[in-house]
Amino acid sequence: MPGFVSIHLGLLIGYSILLTAVGLWIGRFVRGSGDFFVAGRTLGAPLLFSTVLAANIGAGTTVGAAGMAYRDGLSAWWWNGTAGLASFVLAFWVGPRIWRLASAHGFYTAGDFLEHRYGQQVRVVIAALVWIGTLFILAGQLIAGAAVLEVVAGIPRGAGAAIGAVVMTIYFVAGGLLSSAWVNLLQLVVLMIGFALAVPPVLSAVGGLSGLASSAALPPGFLDPFYTSPATSVSGWKLLAIYGPAFMLSPGLLQKAYGARDEAAVKIGIAAQGACLLVFSFIPVFFGMAARVLHPSVASINLVLPTVFAEDMAPWLGALGLAAVFSAEVSTCDAILFMLSTSLSKDLYKRIINPAASDAQMLRVARIAAVAGGAIGTVLAVQLSTIVSALAIFYSLAGVSLFVPVIAGLAGKRGGAPEALAAIAAGIATLLAVQVATGGIGYGIFNPNLLGLIASAIAYAIVYVARGRGAGVEAV
């Protein structure tokens, strides 16, 4: 076992150094905030494909999905499946529309669009909500990276989270989206090779798909794709309401779309990664279900996937698989730092604190915000229990606050700040009220997120009608 540990740990250390070196090298080409925020709007379809896919395949879609599959079975597919399905809406409707506006008006962040459409007040409210929620999703990614280091070398969660935070903060701070896009391409290659090679030995260990399906270790409902755990609302097809809206218009994904070279790159790059994500979505679920047979007493669902890679295959292959998991965590971390740094520097600092800030000042604040975000995320990673709980907080906030204002803003030319603010307030208030009243379960098919979205849409419509159908701000 010590030999296995040294192989696994040595590869992870070497891989981390490589990521950092590539990111620092690309960072030399960053000349201003345009390169840092939107990569100079030079991303073609292949780079947009890799950076969006790398952002979507993170702790949730790998370690989280495997852990959920270990607990609930095949219905955990909805985690990644939802992201893939939502990507097509982003590729063919939301993305092209918002890219045209971003190119015409020089948008760098999602907040730029919101201010253009609804005014500064809406921008600031959303920026603050996104900043709070994004810290939790960053914590979820760091929990996953820490889980890998815990299995490999017994490193405590706090130290493991700090190591992951340092790696991704260094290369992101150096070059922003420009560094991330190229580093993500490297990470994606490692991730896909590692996961693809890991499937055959695990499949053999459980006796093939038929052996897995017939195992007596599987509880009732484990093979039902529509199963929902009675103990939690974060399960099965209900994930559509929780994650679907956020994957359609997450600020980080929208800003990656801003960096596209043209509208065709948005459509092709994001749609292709959605299709790839749908195929990939079965792999972590398979690993989680197999682990239920091979390791029925894993201490924490956070450790399910790292345990499979460390114990159920040859050392070199397990090391590659663990590097793939670590790669997924780090690649999504840089997307999250992207949201944190750009939102704070452009939406809050530039618009509220120092409107006269120069390009260099804004770039410096973005980098400081990334470092601060990494530090806070590390602290939260120690406090939160699971990846699923951490990510659910972000996706819930993002979904009920952003979905209605952004979709309504893209779909029509009327409706202003009062409608948007009413939608945000009603969505969050309903989400929190139902969460507290039902312990997060909701009422039948109506979970807190779905009810929050419905309340948000109703509030927008009521204020729109009350203001006389057209008193809002005209969209350009």
Side-chain angles (χ1 to χ4, degrees):
M1 189 65 173
F4 290 7
V5 170
S6 62
I7 292 173
H8 294 154
L9 189 59
L11 182 58
L12 286 175
I13 292 172
Y15 181 58
S16 298
I17 293 172
L18 176 62
L19 292 180
T20 304
V22 171
L24 289 173
W25 185 78
I26 296 295
R28 298 182 310 133
F29 300 100
V30 172
R31 298 289 180 262
S33 60
D35 294 328
F36 190 89
F37 282 62
V38 293
R41 303 193 200 278
T42 60
L43 301 183
L47 268 182
L48 192 61
F49 162 86
S50 63
T51 192
V52 174
L53 185 59
N56 279 335
I57 298 180
T61 48
T62 55
V63 178
M68 187 178 290
Y70 183 88
R71 185 190 68 197
D72 299 331
L74 188 58
S75 63
W77 175 88
W78 288 98
W79 186 309
N80 292 332
T82 293
L85 295 172
S87 293
F88 294 116
V89 179
L90 176 61
F92 296 116
W93 194 75
V94 174
R97 285 172 180 251
I98 209 162
W99 181 87
R100 289 195 294 268
L101 288 169
S103 298
H105 300 283
F107 295 166
Y108 282 179
T109 69
D112 286 335
F113 165 74
L114 291 168
E115 180 170 356
H116 170 78
R117 184 63 184 80
Y118 296 112
Q120 183 175 329
Q121 189 176 10
V122 174
R123 175 192 193 132
V124 172
V125 169
I126 289 293
L129 289 170
V130 167
W131 221 89
I132 293 170
T134 301
L135 289 171
F136 286 92
I137 194 174
L138 178 58
Q141 309 304 319
L142 294 175
I143 291 172
V148 172
L149 296 175
E150 181 180 347
V151 168
V152 169
I155 297 174
R157 180 190 285 193
I163 291 170
V166 168
V167 172
M168 53 87 182
T169 299
I170 289 174
Y171 78 73
F172 175 78
V173 166
L177 182 56
L178 193 61
S179 281
S180 293
W182 286 99
V183 172
N184 289 162
L185 182 60
L186 170 62
Q187 291 166 328
L188 198 61
V189 170
V190 172
L191 191 152
M192 290 302 178
I193 292 175
F195 274 73
L197 292 178
V199 169
V202 178
L203 190 63
S204 174
V206 295
L209 292 178
S210 59
L212 176 63
S214 61
S215 173
L218 304 185
F222 210 71
L223 300 178
D224 180 0
F226 296 99
Y227 172 77
T228 299
S229 170
T232 175
S233 62
V234 188
S235 180
W237 62 268
K238 290 185 178 181
L239 295 170
L240 274 173
I242 300 173
Y243 300 129
F247 278 113
M248 290 178 198
L249 40 79
S250 165
L253 296 180
L254 291 181
Q255 287 170 230
K256 287 177 182 289
Y258 288 177
R261 184 168 51 212
D262 50 39
E263 195 172 331
V266 175
K267 294 178 179 178
I268 296 170
I270 296 178
Q273 75 81 36
C276 186
L277 194 56
L278 287 176
V279 175
F280 175 83
S281 62
F282 290 97
I283 298 178
V285 173
F286 161 69
F287 286 142
M289 295 174 68
R292 185 64 178 259
V293 176
L294 299 172
H295 308 283
S297 18
V298 175
S300 165
I301 61 173
N302 295 332
L303 303 179
V304 168
L305 190 58
T307 297
V308 169
F309 283 130
E311 298 187 13
D312 295 321
M313 52 195 71
W316 69 269
L317 184 54
L320 181 60
L322 288 166
V325 175
F326 192 73
S327 185
E329 177 262 323
V330 173
S331 67
T332 303
C333 275
D334 67 51
I336 298 161
L337 282 187
F338 184 52
M339 284 190 281
L340 286 169
S341 63
T342 56
S343 178
L344 184 71
S345 60
K346 189 73 163 60
D347 297 332
L348 297 178
Y349 177 74
K350 174 73 172 176
R351 297 302 299 157
I352 304 299
I353 299 172
N354 186 10
S358 66
D359 189 78
Q361 286 176 309
M362 192 165 62
L363 187 57
R364 183 166 58 251
V365 170
R367 285 170 164 155
I368 292 172
V371 174
I376 297 171
T378 301
V379 174
L380 288 175
V382 177
Q383 303 301 318
L384 295 170
S385 58
T386 67
I387 294 164
V388 174
S389 61
L391 301 191
I393 294 171
F394 166 78
Y395 288 119
S396 297
L397 277 176
V400 300
S401 62
L402 271 173
F403 186 75
V404 171
V406 171
I407 295 300
L410 290 173
K413 293 186 176 181
R414 299 185 184 276
E419 285 87 346
L421 291 171
I424 294 167
I428 292 177
T430 302
L431 170 73
L432 294 176
V434 177
Q435 186 79 22
V436 171
T438 67
I441 302 299
Y443 303 97
I445 65 171
F446 296 100
N447 64 15
N449 295 74
L450 181 56
L451 289 171
L453 288 172
I454 293 171
S456 180
I458 292 173
Y460 191 102
I462 289 174
V463 175
Y464 178 76
V465 172
R467 297 179 70 223
R469 296 182 58 85
V473 178
E474 289 288 337
V476 178

mmCIF file of all heavy atoms in Angstrom, residues 228-264:
data_model
loop_
_atom_site.group_PDB
_atom_site.id
_atom_site.type_symbol
_atom_site.label_atom_id
_atom_site.label_comp_id
_atom_site.label_asym_id
_atom_site.label_seq_id
_atom_site.Cartn_x
_atom_site.Cartn_y
_atom_site.Cartn_z
ATOM 1 N N THR A 228 -36.693 8.814 -6.391
ATOM 2 C CA THR A 228 -36.356 9.983 -5.585
ATOM 3 C C THR A 228 -36.256 9.557 -4.139
ATOM 4 O O THR A 228 -37.195 8.974 -3.586
ATOM 5 C CB THR A 228 -37.429 11.087 -5.725
ATOM 6 O OG1 THR A 228 -37.497 11.496 -7.094
ATOM 7 C CG2 THR A 228 -37.068 12.294 -4.865
ATOM 8 N N SER A 229 -35.134 9.834 -3.519
ATOM 9 C CA SER A 229 -34.943 9.454 -2.129
ATOM 10 C C SER A 229 -35.958 10.156 -1.235
ATOM 11 O O SER A 229 -36.120 11.373 -1.319
ATOM 12 C CB SER A 229 -33.524 9.827 -1.679
ATOM 13 O OG SER A 229 -33.395 9.675 -0.281
ATOM 14 N N PRO A 230 -36.682 9.416 -0.385
ATOM 15 C CA PRO A 230 -37.657 10.052 0.509
ATOM 16 C C PRO A 230 -37.002 10.931 1.567
ATOM 17 O O PRO A 230 -37.651 11.755 2.182
ATOM 18 C CB PRO A 230 -38.361 8.853 1.150
ATOM 19 C CG PRO A 230 -37.383 7.726 1.062
ATOM 20 C CD PRO A 230 -36.634 7.954 -0.211
ATOM 21 N N ALA A 231 -35.699 10.783 1.739
ATOM 22 C CA ALA A 231 -35.012 11.530 2.795
ATOM 23 C C ALA A 231 -34.515 12.900 2.349
ATOM 24 O O ALA A 231 -34.114 13.706 3.161
ATOM 25 C CB ALA A 231 -33.830 10.714 3.313
ATOM 26 N N THR A 232 -34.541 13.153 1.049
ATOM 27 C CA THR A 232 -33.993 14.419 0.562
ATOM 28 C C THR A 232 -34.681 14.853 -0.724
ATOM 29 O O THR A 232 -35.130 14.024 -1.512
ATOM 30 C CB THR A 232 -32.483 14.292 0.300
ATOM 31 O OG1 THR A 232 -32.008 15.503 -0.284
ATOM 32 C CG2 THR A 232 -32.169 13.151 -0.633
ATOM 33 N N SER A 233 -34.747 16.168 -0.934
ATOM 34 C CA SER A 233 -35.295 16.705 -2.178
ATOM 35 C C SER A 233 -34.202 16.824 -3.240
ATOM 36 O O SER A 233 -34.488 17.071 -4.401
ATOM 37 C CB SER A 233 -35.906 18.095 -1.934
ATOM 38 O OG SER A 233 -34.914 19.005 -1.493
ATOM 39 N N VAL A 234 -32.942 16.678 -2.854
ATOM 40 C CA VAL A 234 -31.829 16.778 -3.789
ATOM 41 C C VAL A 234 -31.546 15.395 -4.347
ATOM 42 O O VAL A 234 -30.557 14.745 -4.011
ATOM 43 C CB VAL A 234 -30.577 17.351 -3.081
ATOM 44 C CG1 VAL A 234 -29.481 17.633 -4.082
ATOM 45 C CG2 VAL A 234 -30.934 18.614 -2.324
ATOM 46 N N SER A 235 -32.429 14.924 -5.211
ATOM 47 C CA SER A 235 -32.319 13.548 -5.681
ATOM 48 C C SER A 235 -33.183 13.353 -6.919
ATOM 49 O O SER A 235 -34.214 14.007 -7.097
ATOM 50 C CB SER A 235 -32.779 12.586 -4.572
ATOM 51 O OG SER A 235 -32.700 11.257 -4.980
ATOM 52 N N GLY A 236 -32.754 12.419 -7.794
ATOM 53 C CA GLY A 236 -33.560 11.995 -8.922
ATOM 54 C C GLY A 236 -33.961 13.109 -9.874
ATOM 55 O O GLY A 236 -33.249 14.092 -10.062
ATOM 56 N N TRP A 237 -35.133 12.957 -10.485
ATOM 57 C CA TRP A 237 -35.588 13.904 -11.500
ATOM 58 C C TRP A 237 -35.840 15.297 -10.928
ATOM 59 O O TRP A 237 -35.886 16.286 -11.666
ATOM 60 C CB TRP A 237 -36.853 13.391 -12.174
ATOM 61 C CG TRP A 237 -38.016 13.228 -11.223
ATOM 62 C CD1 TRP A 237 -38.369 12.120 -10.537
ATOM 63 C CD2 TRP A 237 -38.949 14.248 -10.854
ATOM 64 N NE1 TRP A 237 -39.470 12.369 -9.749
ATOM 65 C CE2 TRP A 237 -39.862 13.667 -9.939
ATOM 66 C CE3 TRP A 237 -39.123 15.584 -11.211
ATOM 67 C CZ2 TRP A 237 -40.909 14.379 -9.366
ATOM 68 C CZ3 TRP A 237 -40.177 16.295 -10.650
ATOM 69 C CH2 TRP A 237 -41.053 15.690 -9.738
ATOM 70 N N LYS A 238 -35.970 15.418 -9.605
ATOM 71 C CA LYS A 238 -36.148 16.740 -8.996
ATOM 72 C C LYS A 238 -34.931 17.641 -9.224
ATOM 73 O O LYS A 238 -35.016 18.852 -9.074
ATOM 74 C CB LYS A 238 -36.417 16.603 -7.500
ATOM 75 C CG LYS A 238 -37.782 16.020 -7.160
ATOM 76 C CD LYS A 238 -38.021 16.029 -5.660
ATOM 77 C CE LYS A 238 -39.405 15.498 -5.311
ATOM 78 N NZ LYS A 238 -39.646 15.522 -3.843
ATOM 79 N N LEU A 239 -33.810 17.039 -9.584
ATOM 80 C CA LEU A 239 -32.621 17.831 -9.876
ATOM 81 C C LEU A 239 -32.826 18.753 -11.069
ATOM 82 O O LEU A 239 -32.116 19.752 -11.221
ATOM 83 C CB LEU A 239 -31.428 16.905 -10.133
ATOM 84 C CG LEU A 239 -30.968 16.070 -8.928
ATOM 85 C CD1 LEU A 239 -29.957 15.021 -9.356
ATOM 86 C CD2 LEU A 239 -30.368 16.970 -7.856
ATOM 87 N N LEU A 240 -33.800 18.440 -11.924
ATOM 88 C CA LEU A 240 -34.118 19.317 -13.054
ATOM 89 C C LEU A 240 -34.470 20.718 -12.579
ATOM 90 O O LEU A 240 -34.031 21.721 -13.145
ATOM 91 C CB LEU A 240 -35.289 18.744 -13.866
ATOM 92 C CG LEU A 240 -34.968 17.720 -14.961
ATOM 93 C CD1 LEU A 240 -36.262 17.143 -15.515
ATOM 94 C CD2 LEU A 240 -34.144 18.368 -16.064
ATOM 95 N N ALA A 241 -35.308 20.796 -11.542
ATOM 96 C CA ALA A 241 -35.726 22.101 -11.035
ATOM 97 C C ALA A 241 -34.601 22.810 -10.297
ATOM 98 O O ALA A 241 -34.515 24.040 -10.301
ATOM 99 C CB ALA A 241 -36.938 21.945 -10.112
ATOM 100 N N ILE A 242 -33.718 22.025 -9.659
ATOM 101 C CA ILE A 242 -32.641 22.632 -8.873
ATOM 102 C C ILE A 242 -31.511 23.119 -9.766
ATOM 103 O O ILE A 242 -31.028 24.256 -9.631
ATOM 104 C CB ILE A 242 -32.096 21.619 -7.851
ATOM 105 C CG1 ILE A 242 -33.196 21.166 -6.890
ATOM 106 C CG2 ILE A 242 -30.926 22.212 -7.075
ATOM 107 C CD1 ILE A 242 -32.779 20.057 -5.957
ATOM 108 N N TYR A 243 -31.083 22.282 -10.707
ATOM 109 C CA TYR A 243 -29.884 22.588 -11.477
ATOM 110 C C TYR A 243 -30.142 23.092 -12.890
ATOM 111 O O TYR A 243 -29.293 23.776 -13.462
ATOM 112 C CB TYR A 243 -28.987 21.352 -11.533
ATOM 113 C CG TYR A 243 -28.534 20.874 -10.183
ATOM 114 C CD1 TYR A 243 -28.668 19.547 -9.797
ATOM 115 C CD2 TYR A 243 -27.989 21.755 -9.269
ATOM 116 C CE1 TYR A 243 -28.261 19.116 -8.542
ATOM 117 C CE2 TYR A 243 -27.580 21.334 -8.009
ATOM 118 C CZ TYR A 243 -27.721 20.018 -7.655
ATOM 119 O OH TYR A 243 -27.322 19.603 -6.414
ATOM 120 N N GLY A 244 -31.283 22.734 -13.485
ATOM 121 C CA GLY A 244 -31.550 23.130 -14.864
ATOM 122 C C GLY A 244 -31.411 24.619 -15.126
ATOM 123 O O GLY A 244 -30.640 25.042 -16.012
ATOM 124 N N PRO A 245 -32.124 25.479 -14.378
ATOM 125 C CA PRO A 245 -32.005 26.925 -14.631
ATOM 126 C C PRO A 245 -30.582 27.448 -14.487
ATOM 127 O O PRO A 245 -30.138 28.287 -15.268
ATOM 128 C CB PRO A 245 -32.937 27.529 -13.571
ATOM 129 C CG PRO A 245 -33.936 26.463 -13.280
ATOM 130 C CD PRO A 245 -33.157 25.182 -13.374
ATOM 131 N N ALA A 246 -29.862 26.967 -13.478
ATOM 132 C CA ALA A 246 -28.507 27.468 -13.254
ATOM 133 C C ALA A 246 -27.563 27.061 -14.384
ATOM 134 O O ALA A 246 -26.696 27.836 -14.791
ATOM 135 C CB ALA A 246 -27.979 26.954 -11.914
ATOM 136 N N PHE A 247 -27.719 25.844 -14.920
ATOM 137 C CA PHE A 247 -26.853 25.420 -16.014
ATOM 138 C C PHE A 247 -27.184 26.139 -17.316
ATOM 139 O O PHE A 247 -26.371 26.180 -18.237
ATOM 140 C CB PHE A 247 -26.945 23.905 -16.217
ATOM 141 C CG PHE A 247 -26.070 23.121 -15.274
ATOM 142 C CD1 PHE A 247 -26.623 22.301 -14.302
ATOM 143 C CD2 PHE A 247 -24.693 23.206 -15.354
ATOM 144 C CE1 PHE A 247 -25.819 21.581 -13.429
ATOM 145 C CE2 PHE A 247 -23.877 22.493 -14.490
ATOM 146 C CZ PHE A 247 -24.441 21.675 -13.517
ATOM 147 N N MET A 248 -28.392 26.698 -17.427
ATOM 148 C CA MET A 248 -28.746 27.465 -18.622
ATOM 149 C C MET A 248 -28.117 28.849 -18.606
ATOM 150 O O MET A 248 -27.797 29.406 -19.660
ATOM 151 C CB MET A 248 -30.267 27.633 -18.719
ATOM 152 C CG MET A 248 -31.035 26.381 -19.028
ATOM 153 S SD MET A 248 -32.811 26.742 -19.035
ATOM 154 C CE MET A 248 -33.477 25.071 -18.867
ATOM 155 N N LEU A 249 -27.954 29.428 -17.405
ATOM 156 C CA LEU A 249 -27.515 30.824 -17.362
ATOM 157 C C LEU A 249 -26.651 31.157 -16.158
ATOM 158 O O LEU A 249 -26.699 32.267 -15.632
ATOM 159 C CB LEU A 249 -28.733 31.761 -17.408
ATOM 160 C CG LEU A 249 -29.983 31.359 -16.613
ATOM 161 C CD1 LEU A 249 -29.823 31.663 -15.152
ATOM 162 C CD2 LEU A 249 -31.195 32.038 -17.177
ATOM 163 N N SER A 250 -25.850 30.205 -15.720
ATOM 164 C CA SER A 250 -24.873 30.506 -14.688
ATOM 165 C C SER A 250 -23.985 31.661 -15.154
ATOM 166 O O SER A 250 -23.551 31.681 -16.310
ATOM 167 C CB SER A 250 -24.009 29.277 -14.411
ATOM 168 O OG SER A 250 -22.859 29.632 -13.679
ATOM 169 N N PRO A 251 -23.703 32.647 -14.290
ATOM 170 C CA PRO A 251 -22.859 33.768 -14.713
ATOM 171 C C PRO A 251 -21.520 33.329 -15.304
ATOM 172 O O PRO A 251 -21.040 33.920 -16.273
ATOM 173 C CB PRO A 251 -22.657 34.555 -13.408
ATOM 174 C CG PRO A 251 -23.873 34.260 -12.606
ATOM 175 C CD PRO A 251 -24.208 32.827 -12.919
ATOM 176 N N GLY A 252 -20.922 32.286 -14.730
ATOM 177 C CA GLY A 252 -19.653 31.814 -15.254
ATOM 178 C C GLY A 252 -19.774 31.282 -16.671
ATOM 179 O O GLY A 252 -18.910 31.527 -17.524
ATOM 180 N N LEU A 253 -20.850 30.553 -16.957
ATOM 181 C CA LEU A 253 -21.047 30.006 -18.300
ATOM 182 C C LEU A 253 -21.387 31.109 -19.294
ATOM 183 O O LEU A 253 -20.942 31.090 -20.448
ATOM 184 C CB LEU A 253 -22.155 28.947 -18.286
ATOM 185 C CG LEU A 253 -21.866 27.702 -17.440
ATOM 186 C CD1 LEU A 253 -23.039 26.725 -17.516
ATOM 187 C CD2 LEU A 253 -20.583 27.006 -17.888
ATOM 188 N N LEU A 254 -22.197 32.081 -18.866
ATOM 189 C CA LEU A 254 -22.526 33.198 -19.751
ATOM 190 C C LEU A 254 -21.262 33.978 -20.124
ATOM 191 O O LEU A 254 -21.073 34.371 -21.275
ATOM 192 C CB LEU A 254 -23.528 34.136 -19.077
ATOM 193 C CG LEU A 254 -24.953 33.603 -18.859
ATOM 194 C CD1 LEU A 254 -25.817 34.666 -18.192
ATOM 195 C CD2 LEU A 254 -25.582 33.163 -20.171
ATOM 196 N N GLN A 255 -20.377 34.183 -19.156
ATOM 197 C CA GLN A 255 -19.161 34.927 -19.429
ATOM 198 C C GLN A 255 -18.216 34.153 -20.336
ATOM 199 O O GLN A 255 -17.473 34.744 -21.124
ATOM 200 C CB GLN A 255 -18.473 35.301 -18.123
ATOM 201 C CG GLN A 255 -19.224 36.405 -17.380
ATOM 202 C CD GLN A 255 -18.718 36.626 -15.971
ATOM 203 O OE1 GLN A 255 -19.488 36.659 -15.024
ATOM 204 N NE2 GLN A 255 -17.421 36.787 -15.829
ATOM 205 N N LYS A 256 -18.227 32.832 -20.255
ATOM 206 C CA LYS A 256 -17.443 32.051 -21.202
ATOM 207 C C LYS A 256 -18.008 32.211 -22.612
ATOM 208 O O LYS A 256 -17.257 32.293 -23.586
ATOM 209 C CB LYS A 256 -17.432 30.582 -20.782
ATOM 210 C CG LYS A 256 -16.548 30.303 -19.564
ATOM 211 C CD LYS A 256 -16.610 28.852 -19.141
ATOM 212 C CE LYS A 256 -15.773 28.600 -17.889
ATOM 213 N NZ LYS A 256 -14.318 28.662 -18.140
ATOM 214 N N ALA A 257 -19.340 32.271 -22.716
ATOM 215 C CA ALA A 257 -19.960 32.521 -24.019
ATOM 216 C C ALA A 257 -19.581 33.897 -24.558
ATOM 217 O O ALA A 257 -19.390 34.079 -25.762
ATOM 218 C CB ALA A 257 -21.483 32.395 -23.916
ATOM 219 N N TYR A 258 -19.449 34.889 -23.681
ATOM 220 C CA TYR A 258 -19.000 36.219 -24.109
ATOM 221 C C TYR A 258 -17.653 36.150 -24.805
ATOM 222 O O TYR A 258 -17.342 36.967 -25.674
ATOM 223 C CB TYR A 258 -18.819 37.149 -22.899
ATOM 224 C CG TYR A 258 -20.071 37.636 -22.220
ATOM 225 C CD1 TYR A 258 -19.977 38.435 -21.084
ATOM 226 C CD2 TYR A 258 -21.350 37.319 -22.678
ATOM 227 C CE1 TYR A 258 -21.097 38.910 -20.426
ATOM 228 C CE2 TYR A 258 -22.479 37.784 -22.026
ATOM 229 C CZ TYR A 258 -22.348 38.582 -20.899
ATOM 230 O OH TYR A 258 -23.461 39.049 -20.247
ATOM 231 N N GLY A 259 -16.803 35.210 -24.386
ATOM 232 C CA GLY A 259 -15.454 35.120 -24.930
ATOM 233 C C GLY A 259 -15.376 34.461 -26.295
ATOM 234 O O GLY A 259 -14.291 34.348 -26.862
ATOM 235 N N ALA A 260 -16.521 34.025 -26.836
ATOM 236 C CA ALA A 260 -16.530 33.347 -28.139
ATOM 237 C C ALA A 260 -16.127 34.300 -29.263
ATOM 238 O O ALA A 260 -16.388 35.501 -29.212
ATOM 239 C CB ALA A 260 -17.910 32.768 -28.421
ATOM 240 N N ARG A 261 -15.533 33.742 -30.287
ATOM 241 C CA ARG A 261 -15.100 34.536 -31.431
ATOM 242 C C ARG A 261 -16.287 35.031 -32.252
ATOM 243 O O ARG A 261 -16.276 36.140 -32.776
ATOM 244 C CB ARG A 261 -14.178 33.680 -32.307
ATOM 245 C CG ARG A 261 -13.573 34.411 -33.489
ATOM 246 C CD ARG A 261 -12.467 33.584 -34.106
ATOM 247 N NE ARG A 261 -12.892 32.218 -34.382
ATOM 248 C CZ ARG A 261 -12.086 31.160 -34.332
ATOM 249 N NH1 ARG A 261 -10.831 31.311 -33.968
ATOM 250 N NH2 ARG A 261 -12.525 29.956 -34.622
ATOM 251 N N ASP A 262 -17.307 34.186 -32.363
ATOM 252 C CA ASP A 262 -18.497 34.571 -33.118
ATOM 253 C C ASP A 262 -19.679 33.742 -32.644
ATOM 254 O O ASP A 262 -19.544 32.864 -31.781
ATOM 255 C CB ASP A 262 -18.281 34.379 -34.629
ATOM 256 C CG ASP A 262 -17.736 33.001 -34.991
ATOM 257 O OD1 ASP A 262 -18.164 32.010 -34.359
ATOM 258 O OD2 ASP A 262 -16.881 32.905 -35.889
ATOM 259 N N GLU A 263 -20.845 34.023 -33.201
ATOM 260 C CA GLU A 263 -22.071 33.354 -32.775
ATOM 261 C C GLU A 263 -22.037 31.860 -33.096
ATOM 262 O O GLU A 263 -22.562 31.036 -32.335
ATOM 263 C CB GLU A 263 -23.270 34.013 -33.457
ATOM 264 C CG GLU A 263 -24.599 33.665 -32.844
ATOM 265 C CD GLU A 263 -25.731 34.496 -33.419
ATOM 266 O OE1 GLU A 263 -25.477 35.643 -33.833
ATOM 267 O OE2 GLU A 263 -26.877 33.992 -33.452
ATOM 268 N N ALA A 264 -21.424 31.500 -34.203
ATOM 269 C CA ALA A 264 -21.335 30.079 -34.570
ATOM 270 C C ALA A 264 -20.528 29.302 -33.536
ATOM 271 O O ALA A 264 -20.852 28.149 -33.206
ATOM 272 C CB ALA A 264 -20.695 29.940 -35.953
#
